[in-house]
Amino acid sequence: MNIKMHAEWKSKFFEHTQTLTFLYLIFWKFFPCNIYSKFFLFTDDAKHLVPNKMRDFFCTINLDQEEVFRTQVVEKSLSPYFGEEFYFEIPRTFQWLSFYIYDKSVLQKDLRIGKVSIKKEDLCNYTGKENWFMLQPVDSNSEVQGKVHLELKLNELITDNGSVCQQLVVHIKECHGLPLINGQNCDPYATVSLVGPSRNDQKKTKVKKKTSNPQFNETFYFEVTRSSSYTKKSQFQVEEEDIEKLEVRVDLWNNGNLVQDIFLGEIKVPVKVLRNDSFQAWYLLQPRENGNKSSKTDDLGSLRLNICYTEDCVLPSEYYTSLRNLLLKSSDVQPISASAAYILSEVCRDKYDAVLPLVRLLLHHHKLVPFVAAVAELDLRDTQEANTIFRGNSLATRCVDEMMKIVGKHYLKVTLKPVIDEICESPKPCEIDPIKLREGDNVEINMENLRYYVDKVFREIVRSSISCPTLMCDVFYSLRHLAAKRFPNDPHVQYSAVSSFVFLRFFAVAVVSPHTFHLRPHHPDAQTSRTLTLISKAIQTLGSWGSLTKSKLSSFKETFMCEFFKTFQEEKFTESVKKFLDDVSSTESKEPSGVSEPVHLKEGEMYKRAQGRTRIGKKNFKKRWFCLTSREFTYHKQQDKEPIFTIPIKNILAVEKLDENSFNKKNMFQVLHGEKPLYIQANNCVEASEWIEALCRVTRCNQKRLSFYHPSAFLNGSWLCCKATAESTEGCARCTADVPADTQIEIDGDRETERIYSLFTINRSKLQKLEEACGSIAVYQGPRKEPDDYSNFTIEDSVATFHTLQQIIDIVEKLNESHEKYQKKRSSSARYGSEENPIVGKVS
């Protein structure tokens, strides 16, 4: 599930740009039925900034008030370009997805220029369309998040003189998810008011210290109607004109002590809805009505967003048994074009929509290799020349592409990341195109620099075969032998079948776009991007079998590349490529005989609590640089410094979240490793979730993993969670379920099957057309009329295809009924003021 953001500030003179920034948002929570959300947002750059002066700008992405991503600073610009890629999971609900533009300041606080905020419920309104959003001013009265739990009730009271009046009872129970103030938990309190045309009765709760989830449990009483409003005849009747104008208002504030209190949000509930009932529900806090209004919004420019938003309601696993089994047996169907998996790719307008869930599902159930072999064989039937093998965007090539992205992540990191870091952090001029050379550039020196980089990247690749994942090797083995079978008279085709993927579609693409493959956190600058492009071109050519022959040199489009490659006409390059391709397309074990180098998995800056060395309050938490490899988990005073604390991966017993009440800090987790727990605070919820997932994945096979843990810390002589006084007491909560044992990827098979069901549902009309086409072919054996409704479909065996289509349609209809039942149940259970089951879910 991807989120791609395309943002651009609009100026009087529109400038189009092609670069994309990617964002990955996923929601997680347990429900009887899991619901998944998917976004695509595209971003380029920002324009027409206020104030009208060259500044240093950066952009942040926020979930409510929690910043989850920050771009690099673009210096001295009015139209900053943000070409960055960011994928992340969201382990909580949210109300707003916001984009803030900042003016970077060295000495003072960064200035927020403006924002675009989109309600989660409104994201679907912009699906598949490009929209311009006016930048809004940032007003503290509109910056809200969280929810409040209320119980509201109308009581009937009889006064001393026997008359009847009404009393409103407001029980404010608790709040959840209030924002951080200056990075710390707030000191919240609430005001509860009964507001009408001529009254404003207000009461106030106690202040709760250092918490974003305050427990108030306070009750307030308000007189709604007075005894004088009633006669003996009317008794207990509320005057409509009075009750219609009254409302309960709850405002949340952060106690500022010596400074002004900060508004955190409000809710309003009309008293008329209570009439003869009481309500107890969670209410989402809202901004003030005038919180985001300004007469100067036109001066701030606008933001262009192209959003694609989908939601998947995932039913329990047993509902998908029939569809899952039908898809998994696709590789056994003869011909393969009559299989459910192939039909899915035929009816989808964009094959990528079908390939992503299909590859993940087949990977999860170890069925991908035979399926790829079957569709590749079909692809090869239509290939007439060996030098064009696997060069198109067929189902086979897209499946292999997606497989390499999923299972080859760590392979790329261990192979290319060190050299990519060197290129990006200490760039040398490498431009060799005479037209693009700048004044003072020396083309000979640039060519030497480029040759140095190309040699280094090439050397790392051809030495990396031992690290190539077994699954990739199995797929390459199948492709190699299928190609040799299709073109038996061409001795080189078995190598070009593999090189067309591993060099052209894997390594070369990763070099030119390192941010896309998580080799770099940000999009490189323009000069470095150009260097990477030239290196990528060179790697493609070096990896293409036989490309260094004289006949191939003449086919270069750029003369300067032809001159550059004359220096590469050496037999050792061809032999190195041949040996590498032999190794990665072999089914033999790739396990090294000696000790392998550790695979770098994740790194970043977080805060850690001193492990019992000091007790000086906040000073116990210190900023450190953390690094996770396949061998150890370390932290350092600074990046690239020697580690000051190391935990071998084999010694980690559990990785779990830590309750917020332990240190009154959010986004904390603990690493249990035999000594005292290591308590760590991440910068936001997304980062905390990613670290927990990465640590769990790399330690899942540890033999001494714990079954129970303490969800809170051991402080002042006892565990906060269970009050046990012995620090060695066994945990009081069961550890999180183990991560699945798949060493390559984490996949939710039910979610992928649900996505495929959704694609079949969306393309129901095409399924019916394909069904009609099969029937027509079976009945009418004459020549087909051109054009027709099914000329673009691949129908080799109309009877087998028709039989599979009937199964698909029948399964889809049954799943439709199950979804309709769930939606009816969900809508009937929703109450006024409740959250109506927030759209959240578990992700792949």
Side-chain angles (χ1 to χ4, degrees):
M1 295 197 306
N2 300 331
I3 292 189
K4 301 177 183 176
M5 179 188 68
H6 187 141
E8 178 177 338
W9 262 324
K10 187 177 182 180
S11 65
K12 294 179 181 178
F13 303 98
F14 174 76
E15 296 177 9
H16 182 67
T17 172
Q18 298 288 333
T19 307
L20 304 178
T21 295
F22 307 91
L23 196 67
Y24 185 32
L25 302 183
I26 306 167
F27 307 86
W28 180 94
K29 196 171 182 178
F30 289 111
F31 280 106
C33 167
N34 291 326
I35 300 179
Y36 299 83
S37 299
K38 174 182 176 182
F39 300 87
F40 293 89
L41 296 139
F42 304 87
T43 188
D44 282 336
D45 58 343
K47 296 181 181 178
H48 192 46
L49 299 182
V50 175
N52 189 20
K53 183 179 178 181
M54 302 292 279
R55 298 292 178 94
D56 300 338
F57 294 104
F58 65 90
C59 178
T60 68
I61 300 169
N62 291 50
L63 296 171
D64 297 323
Q65 298 307 300
E66 184 174 18
E67 179 184 316
V68 296
F69 179 67
R70 176 176 294 208
T71 69
Q72 287 185 320
V73 177
V74 178
E75 298 179 348
K76 307 300 180 186
S77 175
L78 279 178
S79 301
Y81 163 76
F82 306 115
E84 307 205 17
E85 181 175 316
F86 183 49
Y87 294 82
F88 65 99
E89 293 185 354
I90 300 176
R92 64 171 180 83
T93 59
F94 74 99
Q95 298 180 54
W96 300 86
L97 178 66
S98 302
F99 307 87
Y100 291 82
I101 305 298
Y102 283 82
D103 177 4
K104 179 69 175 176
S105 176
V106 178
L107 301 178
Q108 300 177 354
K109 185 178 180 180
D110 298 332
L111 175 64
R112 287 193 288 191
I113 300 298
K115 70 172 184 178
V116 168
S117 291
I118 307 174
K119 263 190 174 182
K120 178 167 69 69
E121 293 80 6
D122 294 336
L123 286 169
C124 59
N125 297 333
Y126 308 107
T127 295
K129 297 178 292 185
E130 191 171 274
N131 297 275
W132 285 98
F133 296 87
M134 298 299 298
L135 279 175
Q136 300 296 326
V138 180
D139 184 342
S140 60
N141 289 334
S142 67
E143 304 289 286
V144 302
Q145 71 176 63
K147 56 187 178 180
V148 57
H149 192 189
L150 291 183
E151 183 177 7
L152 305 174
K153 186 178 181 181
L154 276 176
N155 285 337
E156 175 185 340
L157 297 180
I158 301 178
T159 63
D160 294 339
N161 61 10
S163 60
V164 179
C165 68
Q166 275 189 311
Q167 183 185 61
L168 174 66
V169 182
V170 180
H171 181 191
I172 178 168
K173 295 187 173 184
E174 59 181 317
C175 291
H176 183 79
L178 298 181
L180 300 177
I181 303 297
N182 297 324
Q184 301 295 326
N185 282 321
C186 54
D187 296 333
Y189 70 89
T191 59
V192 183
S193 308
L194 181 63
V195 182
S198 59
R199 63 191 294 181
N200 187 356
D201 302 335
Q202 187 179 95
K203 303 179 188 296
K204 177 181 173 182
T205 68
K206 296 178 181 178
V207 176
K208 300 297 180 180
K209 293 289 186 179
K210 302 302 178 187
T211 178
S212 295
N213 304 312
Q215 303 283 330
F216 291 112
N217 285 320
E218 296 189 41
T219 304
F220 302 100
Y221 301 89
F222 299 91
E223 189 180 65
V224 177
T225 58
R226 299 174 174 84
S227 56
S228 59
S229 301
Y230 300 91
T231 65
K232 293 182 180 179
K233 291 183 180 180
S234 63
Q235 293 184 358
F236 188 66
Q237 289 181 347
V238 182
E239 294 184 57
E240 295 296 330
E241 60 273 20
D242 292 338
I243 199 78
E244 290 285 342
K245 298 174 183 178
L246 293 177
E247 66 180 9
V248 179
R249 192 177 72 201
V250 179
D251 295 84
L252 269 295
W253 299 85
N254 176 62
N255 183 33
N257 293 322
L258 300 179
V259 296
Q260 185 176 0
D261 293 351
I262 298 175
F263 175 76
L264 300 179
E266 69 177 11
I267 64 164
K268 295 180 180 180
V269 182
V271 174
K272 64 181 179 180
V273 303
L274 303 177
R275 293 196 181 278
N276 300 314
D277 197 0
S278 64
F279 282 87
Q280 180 178 176
W282 284 95
Y283 295 81
L284 295 174
L285 289 171
Q286 301 296 326
R288 284 178 173 165
E289 290 183 353
N290 63 345
N292 57 2
K293 292 182 180 179
S294 173
S295 60
K296 297 183 179 181
T297 54
D298 292 340
D299 298 334
L300 298 178
S302 56
L303 187 69
R304 183 176 61 171
L305 296 175
N306 186 353
I307 301 172
C308 178
Y309 174 67
T310 61
E311 293 178 0
D312 296 326
C313 175
V314 182
L315 300 171
S317 184
E318 58 268 19
Y319 285 83
Y320 300 106
T321 301
S322 297
L323 180 57
R324 182 169 52 244
N325 291 341
L326 186 63
L327 291 164
L328 294 179
K329 70 177 185 181
S330 292
S331 58
D332 301 324
V333 175
Q334 294 293 333
I336 189 66
S337 60
S339 68
Y342 194 91
I343 290 173
L344 175 68
S345 70
E346 285 285 276
V347 298
C348 288
R349 181 178 180 181
D350 186 347
K351 275 189 170 58
Y352 178 80
D353 292 337
V355 166
L356 181 59
L358 181 60
V359 166
R360 294 173 68 85
L361 180 67
L362 295 175
L363 271 174
H364 185 60
H365 293 279
H366 310 290
K367 295 286 188 179
L368 182 64
V369 176
F371 179 75
V372 168
V375 293
E377 188 174 14
L378 180 63
D379 199 10
L380 286 169
R381 291 183 208 167
D382 298 327
T383 304
Q384 302 303 318
E385 297 182 12
N387 60 357
T388 62
I389 192 169
F390 298 131
R391 293 299 177 95
N393 282 320
S394 64
L395 177 60
T397 57
R398 291 199 174 198
C399 283
V400 177
D401 286 348
E402 196 59 43
M403 178 274 298
M404 292 190 298
K405 290 179 185 177
I406 295 172
V407 305
K409 291 187 297 183
H410 299 321
Y411 177 36
L412 277 177
K413 281 189 176 181
V414 73
T415 304
L416 291 183
K417 192 175 190 310
V419 64
I420 294 295
D421 286 343
E422 178 186 344
I423 295 169
C424 293
E425 293 168 8
S426 303
K428 299 177 181 179
C430 295
E431 184 58 69
I432 58 175
D433 184 353
I435 299 176
K436 295 184 178 182
L437 285 174
R438 294 179 298 184
E439 186 176 352
D441 283 350
N442 187 314
V443 69
E444 297 297 330
I445 295 177
N446 288 6
M447 190 172 292
E448 289 180 9
N449 293 337
L450 182 60
R451 176 62 190 262
Y452 167 78
Y453 283 145
V454 170
D455 281 341
K456 195 161 189 176
V457 172
F458 179 80
R459 185 167 59 250
E460 293 299 326
I461 291 174
V462 295
R463 289 178 178 177
S464 70
S465 59
I466 201 167
S467 302
C468 186
T470 303
L471 184 65
M472 288 178 63
C473 296
D474 291 343
V475 170
F476 295 153
Y477 176 82
S478 297
L479 298 178
R480 176 178 178 175
H481 286 271
L482 286 171
K485 180 181 177 180
R486 173 67 178 86
F487 298 100
N489 298 323
D490 189 331
H492 295 160
V493 73
Q494 58 177 317
Y495 295 109
S496 58
V498 179
S499 66
S500 63
F501 287 106
V502 72
F503 276 100
L504 274 65
R505 295 174 176 260
F506 187 58
F507 283 118
V509 177
V511 168
V512 79
S513 302
H515 56 292
T516 304
F517 291 85
H518 308 288
L519 300 177
R520 295 289 298 173
H522 301 287
H523 193 289
D525 58 46
Q527 180 179 333
T528 306
S529 292
R530 174 61 178 168
T531 297
L532 293 174
T533 299
L534 293 172
I535 296 171
S536 177
K537 287 185 176 184
I539 294 302
Q540 290 182 53
T541 305
L542 289 173
S544 297
W545 182 254
S547 62
L548 298 180
T549 62
K550 292 182 179 180
S551 60
K552 290 291 182 180
L553 285 174
S554 61
S555 66
F556 275 109
K557 294 180 180 179
E558 304 100 337
T559 304
F560 63 88
M561 290 300 293
C562 181
E563 293 298 320
F564 176 64
F565 266 98
K566 286 181 180 179
T567 63
F568 285 87
Q569 295 183 52
E570 302 173 23
E571 187 178 345
K572 67 176 185 179
F573 286 98
T574 303
E575 290 302 314
S576 296
V577 171
K578 180 178 180 297
K579 183 180 183 306
F580 171 76
L581 295 176
D582 279 331
D583 290 342
V584 298
S585 59
S586 169
T587 58
E588 297 178 2
S589 172
K590 293 290 181 274
E591 292 298 323
S593 56
V595 179
S596 63
E597 289 295 317
V599 178
H600 179 91
L601 301 176
K602 188 172 178 60
E603 62 181 350
E605 200 169 60
M606 295 186 291
Y607 292 84
K608 68 95 185 177
R609 183 177 185 268
Q611 300 183 69
R613 299 190 185 96
T614 62
R615 301 182 66 180
I616 319 176
K618 294 180 181 178
K619 291 186 179 179
N620 275 346
F621 283 87
K622 296 183 178 180
K623 187 183 290 186
R624 293 289 182 260
W625 185 265
F626 288 81
C627 182
L628 174 65
T629 71
S630 57
R631 189 178 297 170
E632 58 191 17
F633 181 51
T634 60
Y635 63 75
H636 318 242
K637 279 193 174 181
Q638 294 178 351
Q639 187 178 4
D640 299 328
K641 298 292 184 181
E642 290 297 316
I644 57 178
F645 190 79
T646 300
I647 306 175
I649 293 301
K650 63 181 181 180
N651 292 350
I652 296 179
L653 308 177
V655 182
E656 298 287 346
K657 291 183 179 179
L658 186 70
D659 283 352
E660 180 184 325
N661 60 8
S662 297
F663 302 102
N664 285 324
K665 293 180 181 291
K666 286 189 171 185
N667 308 317
M668 289 201 68
F669 63 95
Q670 52 184 316
V671 180
L672 308 177
H673 58 100
E675 302 177 17
K676 293 185 178 182
L678 176 60
Y679 298 129
I680 302 172
Q681 183 186 27
N683 294 306
N684 55 63
C685 65
V686 172
E687 188 178 89
S689 177
E690 289 177 346
W691 274 104
I692 293 172
E693 180 186 356
L695 283 162
C696 285
R697 183 169 61 245
V698 77
T699 61
R700 65 180 165 267
C701 296
N702 288 358
Q703 295 181 353
K704 297 182 179 180
R705 285 181 63 90
L706 296 176
S707 298
F708 293 87
Y709 79 107
H710 291 284
S712 294
F714 185 83
L715 295 173
N716 301 321
S718 67
W719 291 101
L720 298 181
C721 43
C722 60
K723 308 305 179 185
T725 56
E727 194 168 3
S728 59
T729 302
E730 185 182 15
C732 57
R734 182 171 290 278
C735 287
T736 305
D738 289 340
V739 179
D742 191 325
T743 58
Q744 299 290 350
I745 46 177
E746 311 300 335
I747 292 176
D748 185 334
D750 294 337
R751 189 264 165 190
E752 304 304 335
T753 312
E754 165 64 29
R755 190 75 203 105
I756 291 172
Y757 150 74
S758 299
L759 291 171
F760 277 134
T761 302
I762 294 170
N763 295 283
R764 177 65 186 272
S765 61
K766 290 187 178 180
L767 287 174
Q768 292 174 337
K769 284 185 177 181
L770 187 55
E771 188 180 29
E772 293 170 2
C774 291
S776 175
I777 293 171
V779 173
Y780 177 68
Q781 299 297 330
R784 295 188 188 182
K785 297 178 180 178
E786 297 290 347
D788 55 40
D789 289 338
Y790 54 89
S791 58
N792 293 324
F793 293 138
T794 300
I795 305 176
E796 294 181 277
D797 187 324
S798 59
V799 176
T801 305
F802 184 83
H803 177 66
T804 304
L805 284 165
Q806 284 187 317
Q807 295 181 74
I808 293 171
I809 293 172
D810 181 60
I811 291 170
V812 168
E813 288 176 351
K814 290 179 179 177
L815 280 171
N816 283 339
E817 293 175 2
S818 299
H819 279 78
E820 288 173 3
K821 288 180 181 178
Y822 170 74
Q823 293 296 343
K824 287 180 180 178
K825 182 179 178 181
R826 180 185 175 200
S827 59
S828 64
S829 63
R831 295 188 59 195
Y832 173 85
S834 71
E835 286 190 274
E836 297 187 22
N837 293 337
I839 305 300
V840 291
K842 179 179 66 171
V843 307
S844 55

